[in-house]
Amino acid sequence: MNSKISRRALVRGGLITGALIPVAGLFINRLAIAAPAVLDPSDPTAKALGYVQKSAKPGQQCDNCSLYQGKSGDSQGPCTVFPGKTVASGGWCMTWAKKPG
């Protein structure tokens, strides 16, 4: 390896690399924005916390829980207990806590 790299080639390579980094970031952001998976009730964490997709307890549903991060009226939404997954707004688990207000 006795080849020499010219300053011009080094600068050109740096400029090309610098231009490609933002383009790569666009693809990574699109993957990160993809919709999270729906929580499967047979998931080990869901089972341990007694998660069900339809609550049997009156007035206790995911959509009125303080841990539920979904918007009002959505059928699914994220929950802080199950990161990266969405839960049914009508669901329930043992960590349910009344939303303040």
Side-chain angles (χ1 to χ4, degrees), residues 35-54 62 65 67-69 75-96:
V38 175
L39 179 65
D40 183 1
S42 63
D43 178 273
T45 306
K47 276 183 152 180
L49 295 174
Y51 172 76
V52 291
Q53 290 180 326
K54 186 166 171 105
C62 291
C65 175
L67 303 170
Y68 182 73
Q69 302 295 306
S75 64
Q76 295 279 330
C79 175
T80 57
V81 177
F82 306 105
K85 308 256 172 125
T86 61
V87 296
S89 62
W92 180 89
C93 79
M94 287 187 233
T95 62
W96 185 87

Side-chain angles (χ1 to χ4, degrees), residues 14-28:
L15 289 173
I16 291 171
T17 303
L20 291 178
I21 289 174
V23 173
L26 291 175
F27 290 113
I28 292 170

